[in-house]
Amino acid sequence: MRALWIKPAAGHTGNHIFVDGGSWAFDYHGYTEKDRFLDHTWRGARRRWPGWQASLIELPADILVSEAKSRDYDGLWLREPGQFLHDAMPRAEAYLNRFPAPPP
């Protein structure tokens, strides 16, 4: 698995980070077939912002929990778990446990 950032082209908005599991993707909606997820994301963004383009950027895992390291990527600025009210990690783990295992 790897974290991928949907980084909009200059002049566009629509950042998103998801987990790439090869044939599947996971984001706040849960698991879905990766090609379907990407097609849905691109079509939706182009409906809102004509001409929208983006790149997929692989992010190292340590970037996802470090504001300082995330700022090394132009256009990315993530919050750390400790910057949320209380401890964000148990809430994140409980959220993930709501979903069944990913497709094989």
Side-chain angles (χ1 to χ4, degrees):
M1 292 183 294
R2 60 191 182 146
L4 290 180
W5 172 29
I6 300 173
K7 179 183 180 184
H12 292 281
T13 190
N15 283 285
H16 191 58
I17 295 174
F18 68 96
V19 176
D20 174 9
S23 62
W24 55 264
F26 178 87
D27 73 349
Y28 62 92
H29 291 107
Y31 294 98
T32 189
E33 190 265 319
K34 184 174 143 186
D35 291 337
R36 182 175 175 206
F37 168 78
L38 293 173
D39 180 60
H40 173 78
T41 300
W42 257 251
R43 277 187 296 110
R46 287 180 177 153
R47 243 190 336 269
R48 287 181 212 97
W49 308 292
W52 186 87
Q53 291 293 329
S55 301
L56 294 177
I57 310 291
E58 185 171 356
L59 298 174
D62 61 339
I63 296 279
L64 303 174
V65 292
S66 171
E67 178 183 347
K69 289 180 181 179
S70 76
R71 306 245 357 236
D72 288 340
Y73 286 73
D74 184 40
L76 188 64
W77 186 352
L78 302 176
R79 294 172 66 188
E80 298 179 9
Q83 293 173 310
F84 292 91
L85 182 62
H86 307 298
D87 186 352
M89 295 308 285
R91 288 195 314 272
E93 289 170 4
Y95 181 77
L96 290 173
N97 289 333
R98 292 176 36 198
F99 297 94

